[in-house]
Amino acid sequence: MSLETNPILVNHTRGGIVESFHRGVVCVVNENGHIVTAVGDVQQVCYPRSALKLFQHIPLITSGAFDHFGFTLKELALMCGSHNGEEMHTQTARGILAKIGMGEEHLGCGAQTPTHKKDYVTLIKEGKEPGAIHNNCSGKHSGFLAWCVFHNQPTQNYLEAEHPLHIEIKRITALFHEMDEADLVSGVDGCSAPIFAMPVVNQAIAYKNLLFPEKFGDENLNRACALIREAVTTYPEMVAGTKRYCTDLMRVAKGKVIGKTGADGVYSMAIPQKGLGICIKIDDGRMGPQYNVAQQVLDNLDVLSNEEKQDLQGYLVNENKNFAGNVTGQTQVTDILQQFTLRA
Amino acid sequence: MSLETNPILVNHTRGGIVESFHRGVVCVVNENGHIVTAVGDVQQVCYPRSALKLFQHIPLITSGAFDHFGFTLKELALMCGSHNGEEMHTQTARGILAKIGMGEEHLGCGAQTPTHKKDYVTLIKEGKEPGAIHNNCSGKHSGFLAWCVFHNQPTQNYLEAEHPLHIEIKRITALFHEMDEADLVSGVDGCSAPIFAMPVVNQAIAYKNLLFPEKFGDENLNRACALIREAVTTYPEMVAGTKRYCTDLMRVAKGKVIGKTGADGVYSMAIPQKGLGICIKIDDGRMGPQYNVAQQVLDNLDVLSNEEKQDLQGYLVNENKNFAGNVTGQTQVTDILQQFTLRA
């Protein structure tokens, strides 16, 4: 961790004052991987967490497993997603598992309660318990298992860092983040999968490389990236779900933005028309402020039409409501973000 | 908000790195209200949120309403608490309401889901919905209504800032925080009650004054503070509940600490034997890190025995576990907190 102090990016107000606030980093890189805008310490090392999911399934496609099992773009979007555990998500995850002859009992991601109370209450009323299939990562894990089945690799230890699947994911992660494998910091993710930490700038570069994989000189990589871009923008409801930023953003932006959240305050984006890669990290790991920042960054970069911005306005400035539904204040970005412009 | 940057107080690690971290303020004042230890900007203004509850019921006692209705110390502890909505809490809140001839339909705090999943699932399985009685503030609101009934004041608008109840609470808040009423910043709390913001140092002073109200020269205030101190330390399970820091701390400390959490990262304490008042505020408002800080501060101040510290060790250093129960890292305070000592 750097000793540099990142600026305050987001404020929560209550009554007449700022009650709490969030510091963080924003990095925008262009097609050449050069930084065109930065706020805070872009060398700060953090885990992309679920923002890595788009890269974690490149091996599934390049290996031929994706075609072999006849997976759909909708299924690929779920694999790349952090879903709410809604019926549409668990159904799609079960479909993936059925295609590879496995079941939810093989998922190692652990049980998670569905995001929305409504879905959780429905489960309980049906006398069921939240399971691994409801875990936001069940699509990712189903994709992991598919790679293992296709390669005749063991599935019982598919979450170990030394498993051939994760050795291949590590290689792809290093490639797209333009780092040496030896420099990747290893950790265990919320779903027990191996995860790697990289500087924020390299995470922005990786999202840019999702748009321009041609530099790696591998037709398979080009196709994998194209399929992933098409999957998440065509089926944004699989990437997150009801009332979620990733889903609402990609639905509204209609291909103009690829955006993915990661736990502990990460948001990464790729902007195809402008050839940009972006990574946002909130220092304190609070989930939420990174969406205000992302929405402001898209405003600054003039990516969305006024109508599209209007549809997403609630993510730019949130009204904070209490238990009785009364507005107690606002969540909004600070001036430092409203000012930034692209360097030439 | 000051422009000073508060130091990092708490780190969350994952694998080999610090994944996210929390800045904040700690202020310790002695019997004379002098700062004996400070980390960060003690003039930072924030809302005490639920840490104000201990002061919000002083008028109930000084007015004679507490005696009139024959309230118990257990009921007073619940009024001062931010409870989990467990059966023991809702039962006690209903008891308070019964004594004043009112019902949960008169509570204006809004419905809240019980803190623990177990209690929530039980509710749903019984075909019930979470209500205002489960709101962590239902004890406080029941106490508010008791003041109104005793004074023949209207109850339908008991949450308005201009209601005589809140005019009296504002007076008491200013007195104990040693501020002019005109300097209190007003806001609306999570439960829709009026709330006031004060510098962190004044919040530490207020908790010190809970121990030494004699300076105000009012026997009624002395008795009110004594009852409140006795209530929360005798019935700590009413102040929070199962697996909660306030409850575990006060149960273990057996009168040596009065501690109360507040939303958005606040923790305030009074240490009777040492005559100290303490306030902790986490900048970003995350709930959790303030407990690590509080536990370290108690260590530094040599308040607890080794055995008591052992019982609370899980609040000093938390193991972070993922959905499958695997340890992914730790939450712990930084060196700056481990070093501080009391000034003479």
Side-chain angles (χ1 to χ4, degrees):
Chain A
M1 183 172 49
S2 151
L3 292 177
E4 191 180 320
T5 298
N6 293 321
I8 298 172
L9 302 182
V10 176
N11 283 330
H12 300 283
T13 66
R14 180 179 297 270
I17 63 160
V18 172
E19 180 169 33
S20 52
F21 47 94
H22 304 278
R23 296 175 184 273
V25 187
V26 179
C27 185
V28 183
V29 301
N30 66 12
E31 178 169 351
N32 301 316
H34 296 148
I35 296 173
V36 287
T37 281
V39 177
D41 177 14
V42 300
Q43 293 298 334
Q44 190 163 305
V45 174
C46 65
Y47 294 96
R49 306 291 298 276
S50 287
L52 192 68
K53 281 173 178 163
L54 279 69
F55 305 94
Q56 285 171 312
H57 296 298
I58 289 176
L60 184 79
I61 302 169
T62 54
S63 68
F66 181 82
D67 295 323
H68 172 81
F69 290 116
F71 288 132
T72 64
L73 287 180
K74 184 178 171 186
E75 289 165 339
L76 180 58
L78 188 83
M79 293 177 192
C80 295
S82 302
H83 64 73
N84 281 340
E86 299 174 56
E87 179 68 24
M88 63 177 168
H89 301 129
T90 55
Q91 199 172 29
T92 306
R94 288 195 175 99
I96 298 170
L97 289 167
K99 283 183 178 176
I100 62 171
M102 304 210 76
E104 52 189 289
E105 68 277 14
H106 298 104
L107 296 171
C109 46
Q112 184 185 3
T113 300
T115 305
H116 293 305
K117 210 168 276 185
K118 179 179 66 62
D119 300 305
Y120 183 37
V121 168
T122 301
L123 258 193
I124 298 171
K125 287 187 173 169
E126 290 171 351
K128 296 177 188 162
E129 293 283 331
I133 199 81
H134 302 98
N135 187 303
N136 80 85
C137 299
S138 69
K140 177 176 77 171
H141 282 246
S142 300
F144 283 172
L145 288 169
W147 188 96
C148 297
V149 171
F150 178 77
H151 289 87
N152 286 314
Q153 290 291 342
T155 54
Q156 72 280 7
N157 65 339
Y158 78 101
L159 292 174
E160 288 177 6
E162 299 74 25
H163 191 284
L165 167 66
H166 296 290
I167 289 172
E168 176 62 2
I169 288 175
K170 187 173 187 177
R171 189 183 69 78
I172 289 289
T173 299
L175 182 72
F176 275 77
H177 288 76
E178 303 188 9
M179 291 182 67
D180 286 338
E181 282 190 50
D183 293 332
L184 299 180
V185 177
S186 295
V188 175
D189 210 342
C191 64
S192 295
I195 185 79
F196 309 104
M198 285 82 61
V200 168
V201 58
N202 294 80
Q203 296 187 43
I205 288 170
Y207 266 72
K208 181 273 295 183
N209 283 333
L210 266 183
L211 303 176
F212 306 108
E214 297 77 10
K215 65 187 284 187
F216 302 126
D218 179 343
E219 265 306 319
N220 271 327
L221 280 183
N222 298 350
R223 178 168 173 260
C225 291
L227 284 174
I228 287 167
R229 294 194 306 263
E230 191 182 348
V232 297
T233 52
T234 310
Y235 297 96
E237 71 278 9
M238 289 290 121
V239 179
T242 307
K243 291 187 184 173
R244 290 277 303 279
Y245 183 62
C246 289
T247 296
D248 290 344
L249 169 61
M250 289 197 283
R251 182 185 288 137
V252 166
K254 296 181 199 71
K256 288 194 284 189
V257 181
I258 291 151
K260 181 72 192 77
T261 196
D264 254 52
V266 171
Y267 207 79
S268 288
M269 296 187 279
I271 316 291
Q273 288 171 0
K274 295 178 184 277
L276 300 173
I278 301 165
C279 181
I280 297 159
K281 164 73 180 177
I282 302 297
D283 281 353
D284 56 71
R286 179 95 150 232
M287 296 299 279
Q290 76 264 48
Y291 309 133
N292 302 79
V293 175
Q295 195 55 31
Q296 181 66 50
V297 168
L298 292 174
D299 263 25
N300 293 3
L301 298 176
D302 205 20
V303 174
L304 303 172
S305 71
N306 285 337
E307 197 175 62
E308 290 162 348
K309 285 200 274 191
Q310 195 52 44
D311 284 348
L312 297 164
Q313 175 66 18
Y315 289 105
L316 182 64
V317 180
N318 317 120
E319 287 198 321
N320 303 330
K321 293 183 179 176
N322 67 14
F323 292 119
N326 298 315
V327 175
T328 57
Q330 288 194 322
T331 299
Q332 54 194 12
V333 298
T334 58
D335 288 348
I336 196 169
L337 276 179
Q338 286 164 354
Q339 287 159 359
F340 87 59
T341 49
L342 281 192
R343 290 178 215 156
Chain B
M1 182 173 47
S2 148
L3 292 177
E4 192 180 319
T5 298
N6 293 321
I8 298 171
L9 301 182
V10 176
N11 284 330
H12 300 283
T13 65
R14 180 180 297 271
I17 63 159
V18 171
E19 180 169 32
S20 52
F21 47 94
H22 304 277
R23 295 174 184 273
V25 186
V26 179
C27 184
V28 184
V29 301
N30 66 13
E31 179 170 350
N32 302 316
H34 297 148
I35 296 172
V36 287
T37 282
V39 177
D41 176 14
V42 300
Q43 294 297 335
Q44 190 163 305
V45 175
C46 65
Y47 294 96
R49 306 291 299 276
S50 288
L52 191 67
K53 281 174 178 162
L54 279 69
F55 305 94
Q56 285 171 312
H57 297 297
I58 289 177
L60 184 79
I61 302 169
T62 55
S63 67
F66 181 83
D67 295 323
H68 173 80
F69 290 116
F71 288 131
T72 64
L73 287 180
K74 185 178 170 186
E75 288 165 340
L76 181 57
L78 189 82
M79 292 177 194
C80 296
S82 302
H83 64 72
N84 282 340
E86 299 175 56
E87 178 68 23
M88 63 176 169
H89 301 128
T90 55
Q91 199 172 29
T92 306
R94 288 197 174 98
I96 298 169
L97 289 167
K99 284 183 179 177
I100 62 171
M102 303 210 76
E104 51 190 290
E105 68 277 14
H106 298 105
L107 296 172
C109 47
Q112 183 185 5
T113 300
T115 306
H116 292 306
K117 208 169 278 184
K118 179 179 67 62
D119 300 305
Y120 183 36
V121 169
T122 301
L123 259 193
I124 298 171
K125 286 187 172 168
E126 289 171 352
K128 295 176 188 160
E129 292 284 331
I133 199 79
H134 302 97
N135 187 303
N136 80 87
C137 299
S138 69
K140 178 177 78 171
H141 281 246
S142 301
F144 283 172
L145 289 169
W147 188 96
C148 297
V149 171
F150 178 78
H151 288 87
N152 286 315
Q153 290 290 343
T155 53
Q156 73 280 7
N157 65 339
Y158 79 101
L159 292 174
E160 287 178 5
E162 297 75 24
H163 191 285
L165 167 66
H166 295 291
I167 289 171
E168 176 62 2
I169 288 175
K170 187 173 187 178
R171 189 183 69 77
I172 289 289
T173 299
L175 182 71
F176 276 76
H177 288 76
E178 302 188 10
M179 291 182 67
D180 288 337
E181 282 190 51
D183 293 332
L184 299 181
V185 177
S186 295
V188 175
D189 210 343
C191 64
S192 295
I195 185 78
F196 308 104
M198 285 80 62
V200 168
V201 59
N202 294 80
Q203 297 186 43
I205 288 170
Y207 266 73
K208 183 271 296 181
N209 284 334
L210 265 184
L211 303 176
F212 306 108
E214 296 77 11
K215 66 188 283 186
F216 302 126
D218 178 343
E219 265 306 317
N220 272 328
L221 279 184
N222 298 351
R223 178 168 174 260
C225 290
L227 284 174
I228 287 166
R229 294 194 305 265
E230 191 183 347
V232 298
T233 53
T234 309
Y235 297 96
E237 71 279 9
M238 288 292 120
V239 180
T242 306
K243 290 185 184 174
R244 289 276 305 277
Y245 183 63
C246 289
T247 296
D248 290 344
L249 169 61
M250 289 198 281
R251 182 186 288 138
V252 166
K254 297 182 198 71
K256 287 193 285 190
V257 181
I258 290 151
K260 181 73 193 77
T261 197
D264 255 55
V266 172
Y267 207 78
S268 288
M269 295 188 280
I271 317 290
Q273 289 172 359
K274 295 179 184 277
L276 300 173
I278 302 165
C279 181
I280 297 159
K281 164 72 181 178
I282 303 298
D283 282 353
D284 57 70
R286 179 93 152 235
M287 295 299 277
Q290 77 262 48
Y291 309 134
N292 302 78
V293 175
Q295 195 55 30
Q296 182 67 50
V297 167
L298 292 174
D299 264 26
N300 293 4
L301 298 176
D302 205 21
V303 174
L304 303 172
S305 71
N306 285 336
E307 198 175 60
E308 290 162 349
K309 285 199 273 191
Q310 195 53 44
D311 285 349
L312 297 164
Q313 176 66 19
Y315 290 105
L316 183 63
V317 180
N318 318 119
E319 287 197 323
N320 303 329
K321 293 183 178 176
N322 66 15
F323 293 118
N326 298 314
V327 175
T328 57
Q330 288 194 322
T331 299
Q332 55 194 11
V333 298
T334 58
D335 287 349
I336 195 169
L337 276 180
Q338 287 163 354
Q339 288 159 359
F340 87 60
T341 50
L342 280 192
R343 290 178 216 155

